[in-house]
Amino acid sequence: MTCARNFNIFTGHLRPVTVFLQSERILMAVPQLKSFRNIGIIAHIDAGKTTVTERILFYTGRSHRMGEVHDGTAVMDWMEQEQERGITITSAVTTCQWNRHELHLIDTPGHVDFTIEVERSLRVLDGAIAVFCGVGGVEPQSETVWHQADRYHVPKIAFVNKLDRLGADLDQVVEQIERKFKTIPLVLQLPAGRESDFRGVVDLIGMRQIVFHDETLGERYEYVDIEASLRDRALEARDRLVAKVAEFDDHLMERYLEGMEISAADLVPAIRKLTLDLKAVPVLCGSALKNKGIQPLLDAIVDFLPSPLDVPPIEGRAPVTHAVERRSSSETEPFAALAFKIQMDQGRKLTYARIYSGRLQVGDDVLNVSKGTREKVSRIFQMHANKRDRLEKTGAGNIVVLMGLKSAGTGDSLCDPAHPVLLEPVNVYEPVISIAVEAQSRADQEKLLDSLAKLSEEDPTFRFQENPDTGQTIISGMGELHLEIVLTRLDRDFNVEVNAGKPQVVYRETISREAEAQAVFDREIGGVRHYGVVDIHLAPRRRGQGNTTLVKVRDASIPEVFFPAMEQGVQDALSSGPQLGYPVVDVEAVIFGGAFQDGVSSELAFRVAASMAFKKACEQASPTLLEPFMAVEILVPEEFLGEVLGDINLRRGRVENISIRKAIQVVQAVVPLSRMFGYSTALRSATQGRATFTMHFSHYDVASQG
């Protein structure tokens, strides 16, 4: 074993500085549940998530070489499209060990088109590392993934990356974290040197400087005394850190006010508690590309992020009684897991699952509560990107891949058949852009729908349907890049060649005033008469409130037994609006009367009558077309600001804010999605390739004319 002994910067305990050899690591004892860390890497695109992950794999001994995103050798970016484009498209899972802890790590995409990968990963993770660019700071997708983590109550560590870049500023990023996320950043490190002179970090807990040796690719590092030019700043920063932590700990506050020394052993548990309670966020810094700052980040993962035992028991509901059920992170509890990701690999279906409780071994039967099916687990794997290691059994706290589950889908609950529980599913976003595709040959046409079905099973934000009027196959997704990747995969993975039409925006319809209507259904079908009369009142709701259907028939003109059929009739009508056939949103429908004839009225009659009444009232309520608007952030040099603003106006956009970030102007605007196709090329042309932009879905609003 080749290792040097040194101190853990946060706990002060002796531990190996360098990694164990892989052959020796196999001999390590399997860690206990308290030693698990299920964590994800989340960030804006190009903040350096995958580079951070590659360094983690190298320093923990999981990989024997450093993969690089820019030359297509990153282990976690294993898809051909990821290597070609230099971006992460799908979340990748791996397992590594550090300081006698087992880390289950998910590297997630930063591009907004693939935000479902972040959503379903955070649904099953216990902690997260939010990576920020030292120059760009808190960027739009940074905010999106941060709020996704907040929604699932996931504790976070912030890692400010790229401090070797021109314009990098740790203080600015920390200020943005505090202001935009309304949280308390606990700065645990300061950079030693700035920009091209960045040479390491100063640990404020242990009050020592960490020097990384470039000749070993940062694998070897040592602690030295803080250089004189940084000592005063470090003392001041540590005092601020202690004061912030002491505000939440009476014992520490008492010692702080008395001027007593606060040691690392005092600070670490207090910081851990604040992190787990989501009251504060530890902030570390470094440069992953320059191999500086990753080992202290690994220590912080161990010291500050939760184990499965630190998170509350998972809650679900009994499928029959709907009573609340809880499963603690223990192998003695009944088996319960959530399928959070589906992947097709050479025709085989892989189900990624987070196991919350119990044990599972090959050959066990599991109940898919969401689908109501019972299936046998044929194989269990531990994943390393796209590579698989077979397991005979697994248990609570693990993230594994299961084979043999034919019906499993994203968000399905898997459990012991004798103890069923329905867990909270994964939030799925609605697609906002569509294109028409057609196969280039008859042979491809036969394979097209089957291939699209497999892709939609993998990705719940990807949808497809056949238009019965035109015979076209319409595919829908989260953006142009999303659909471009789908088309590439059809060609390369499924050998289906298709022609694609111009992207079509997914619109919605609504009403702008109140209206009432009556519909009568009186028809003989198959020798049986069906009769029903429905009176309905429609009213517009505020944008984004959704639809609601109420039955308020108080004069007994319609028996209650027909109420569900009428509600279903309204739901049928909501799927197709009177203008262009798009779904109707933000409407309140109240069925307040009608007529019933004993012996001839039926559920079919009232369902059809309710649908007819809704459509008739909708036509009288000034129907309006809604289109999706995108929140766009453009980073542009000041000399090109005028061209960018003029172009936004031409695209019917609305500038919300203009701010300055060093020498860059930051333009925030809202623009109709229909006017954003091809914007990347137009922006590059107008700014000599010096401007960049990001966009994400904002809201639906009335479609503008022209």
Side-chain angles (χ1 to χ4, degrees):
M1 180 170 67
T2 59
C3 64
R5 303 297 292 182
N6 215 319
F7 283 95
N8 178 305
I9 63 170
F10 295 119
T11 63
H13 298 310
L14 284 167
R15 67 154 184 81
V17 169
T18 54
V19 297
F20 286 90
L21 296 176
Q22 186 65 27
S23 59
E24 295 166 328
R25 188 167 295 282
I26 294 173
L27 300 177
M28 283 186 73
V30 177
Q32 300 298 314
L33 198 58
K34 66 180 179 181
S35 300
F36 284 166
R37 296 293 184 271
N38 292 315
I39 58 172
I41 313 285
I42 58 175
H44 184 89
I45 190 170
D46 203 34
K49 298 179 309 305
T50 301
T51 305
V52 169
T53 307
E54 293 297 318
R55 269 53 181 178
I56 287 176
L57 297 180
F58 180 73
Y59 295 135
T60 58
R62 193 65 175 86
S63 296
H64 298 291
R65 63 174 177 82
M66 285 186 183
E68 301 292 358
V69 175
H70 55 266
D71 58 17
T73 59
V75 174
M76 301 300 275
D77 285 349
W78 58 269
M79 288 179 65
E80 189 177 351
Q81 296 91 328
E82 294 177 314
Q83 295 167 356
E84 290 175 351
R85 297 169 186 270
I87 62 171
T88 302
I89 293 171
T90 184
S91 56
V93 181
T94 190
T95 301
C96 55
Q97 292 178 342
W98 180 259
N99 199 17
R100 300 189 179 277
H101 285 70
E102 185 168 298
L103 313 183
H104 303 147
L105 182 67
I106 300 182
D107 178 29
T108 66
H111 197 287
V112 65
D113 283 15
F114 311 108
T115 190
I116 183 62
E117 295 288 342
V118 184
E119 184 77 22
R120 58 186 175 186
S121 298
L122 288 172
R123 169 64 183 82
V124 298
L125 290 171
D126 299 328
I129 304 167
V131 181
F132 299 95
C133 172
V135 181
V138 178
E139 298 172 279
Q141 189 65 4
S142 306
E143 296 185 63
T144 300
V145 297
W146 188 282
H147 295 315
Q148 285 175 298
D150 282 344
R151 184 161 58 247
Y152 292 116
H153 307 291
V154 175
K156 296 168 285 292
I157 289 174
F159 181 72
V160 181
N161 192 26
K162 300 189 179 183
L163 288 186
D164 60 308
R165 292 280 189 91
L166 182 66
D169 189 335
L170 174 65
D171 293 338
Q172 175 182 273
V173 180
V174 171
E175 184 275 328
Q176 291 177 355
I177 291 173
E178 182 172 22
R179 173 169 48 85
K180 294 191 175 184
F181 299 141
K182 302 295 187 292
T183 189
I184 299 174
L186 300 176
V187 179
L188 307 187
Q189 296 174 344
L190 294 180
R194 298 194 60 171
E195 299 176 346
S196 61
D197 186 43
F198 177 71
R199 53 194 178 275
V201 297
V202 175
D203 162 36
L204 298 178
I205 294 181
M207 284 302 287
R208 64 189 72 187
Q209 191 166 329
I210 310 174
V211 178
F212 300 87
H213 295 287
D214 292 335
E215 65 273 12
T216 64
L217 299 177
E219 187 176 4
R220 290 189 177 275
Y221 58 100
E222 61 181 329
Y223 299 97
V224 299
D225 291 337
I226 301 174
E227 55 192 77
S229 61
L230 295 173
R231 186 156 187 84
D232 288 346
R233 186 183 173 208
L235 286 170
E236 183 181 340
R238 191 182 198 275
D239 187 68
R240 285 198 302 269
L241 170 64
V242 173
K244 282 186 177 181
V245 175
E247 287 181 16
F248 298 90
D249 188 307
D250 292 341
H251 178 64
L252 280 183
M253 178 59 77
E254 184 178 336
R255 296 183 59 190
Y256 174 71
L257 293 175
E258 291 177 359
M260 299 176 64
E261 177 64 25
I262 307 296
S263 67
D266 297 320
L267 280 176
V268 169
I271 294 172
R272 177 179 178 82
K273 185 176 189 308
L274 289 176
T275 306
L276 299 189
D277 292 343
L278 302 180
K279 292 180 179 178
V281 177
V283 179
L284 294 88
C285 61
S287 171
L289 189 63
K290 298 299 183 182
N291 311 314
K292 294 176 172 61
I294 301 302
Q295 294 95 328
L297 175 62
L298 284 163
D299 287 333
I301 291 170
V302 168
D303 289 332
F304 302 129
L305 291 181
S307 76
L309 297 177
D310 293 316
V311 298
I314 191 72
E315 286 192 354
R317 293 195 174 272
V320 177
T321 64
H322 302 292
V324 174
E325 296 270 348
R326 293 179 177 84
R327 296 285 189 272
S328 299
S329 294
S330 168
E331 293 192 355
T332 62
E333 295 255 333
F335 171 72
L338 187 78
F340 67 94
K341 177 181 169 73
I342 302 297
Q343 181 181 319
M344 306 303 295
D345 182 23
Q346 299 178 346
R348 298 182 178 90
K349 182 175 179 178
L350 307 181
T351 302
Y352 287 72
R354 161 68 192 267
I355 301 177
Y356 287 102
S357 62
R359 294 181 61 81
L360 182 70
Q361 59 185 23
V362 173
D364 281 355
D365 285 339
V366 297
L367 174 66
N368 184 333
V369 185
S370 306
K371 298 287 197 315
T373 58
R374 185 165 172 162
E375 297 184 280
K376 188 180 294 293
V377 176
S378 61
R379 291 183 184 179
I380 303 173
F381 296 106
Q382 190 173 72
M383 297 300 292
H384 177 50
N386 62 330
K387 297 179 175 59
R388 305 193 288 256
D389 296 325
R390 290 190 65 168
L391 303 173
E392 289 302 315
K393 58 185 178 181
T394 186
N398 276 297
I399 296 176
V400 294
V401 159
L402 308 178
M403 284 185 65
L405 309 183
K406 296 180 181 178
S407 66
T410 298
D412 284 357
S413 300
L414 310 174
C415 63
D416 180 348
H419 301 87
V421 60
L422 187 64
L423 304 177
E424 177 190 354
V426 177
N427 285 328
V428 176
Y429 299 90
E430 291 296 316
V432 297
I433 183 173
S434 299
I435 62 174
V437 296
E438 62 178 13
Q440 292 185 3
S441 67
R442 184 174 296 275
D444 285 339
Q445 180 62 40
E446 294 175 358
K447 295 191 296 182
L448 176 60
L449 294 180
D450 181 59
S451 302
L452 292 176
K454 291 178 180 177
L455 287 170
S456 66
E457 190 172 13
E458 284 189 6
D459 182 356
T461 61
F462 170 70
R463 315 279 175 82
F464 74 97
Q465 62 178 354
E466 287 189 279
N467 189 317
D469 297 324
T470 64
Q472 285 184 315
T473 300
I474 307 297
I475 63 173
S476 304
M478 301 303 294
E480 287 182 273
L481 179 59
H482 187 194
L483 295 185
E484 188 179 329
I485 295 297
V486 167
L487 295 178
T488 304
R489 291 196 62 194
L490 281 174
D491 181 22
R492 296 182 182 179
D493 298 352
F494 297 95
N495 297 315
V496 177
E497 296 185 5
V498 297
N499 297 320
K502 182 182 177 182
Q504 298 295 314
V505 177
V506 179
Y507 291 90
R508 296 287 186 266
E509 296 184 28
T510 191
I511 60 175
S512 52
R513 65 183 181 86
E514 298 184 18
E516 291 185 2
Q518 181 184 83
V520 179
F521 185 83
D522 188 0
R523 190 174 303 173
E524 188 173 297
I525 301 175
V528 178
R529 185 184 171 202
H530 296 267
Y531 177 84
V533 180
V534 172
D535 296 321
I536 198 168
H537 176 272
L538 302 185
R541 306 187 78 200
R542 280 209 317 271
R543 199 70 64 238
Q545 280 196 323
N547 298 317
T548 181
T549 304
L550 303 172
V551 180
K552 295 183 178 180
V553 180
R554 296 189 175 91
D555 58 1
S557 57
I558 302 175
E560 286 190 22
V561 69
F562 296 118
F563 287 5
M566 293 189 294
E567 291 177 352
Q568 186 59 52
V570 172
Q571 293 303 313
D572 296 341
L574 283 167
S575 64
S576 179
Q579 286 196 305
L580 297 176
Y582 290 104
V584 180
V585 297
D586 301 334
V587 172
E588 179 186 74
V590 179
I591 298 172
F592 62 88
F596 157 81
Q597 287 187 11
D598 195 21
V600 295
S601 288
S602 65
E603 291 186 357
L604 173 63
F606 279 106
R607 178 172 176 172
V608 176
S611 181
M612 292 168 56
F614 180 92
K615 291 180 179 179
K616 189 184 295 185
C618 203
E619 291 172 354
Q620 300 169 11
S622 298
T624 304
L625 195 65
L626 302 176
E627 65 177 330
F629 281 72
M630 309 300 287
V632 184
E633 182 176 87
I634 308 157
L635 277 61
V636 56
E638 187 174 1
E639 60 264 37
F640 299 108
L641 181 61
E643 288 89 339
V644 168
L645 295 180
D647 187 57
I648 289 174
N649 289 330
L650 290 175
R651 295 174 186 271
R652 297 194 280 108
R654 182 179 70 252
V655 176
E656 303 270 279
N657 184 51
I658 301 175
S659 58
I660 300 175
R661 188 179 299 166
K662 292 193 177 292
I664 298 295
Q665 300 286 328
V666 182
V667 179
Q668 293 173 321
V670 176
V671 188
L673 175 60
S674 60
R675 296 303 183 97
M676 288 302 292
F677 298 128
Y679 184 64
S680 178
T681 302
L683 184 64
R684 290 194 196 103
S685 300
T687 63
Q688 300 175 6
R690 294 171 60 191
T692 60
F693 83 101
T694 56
M695 70 176 184
H696 60 275
F697 174 74
S698 174
H699 64 281
Y700 274 94
D701 210 338
V702 177
S704 304
Q705 300 298 318

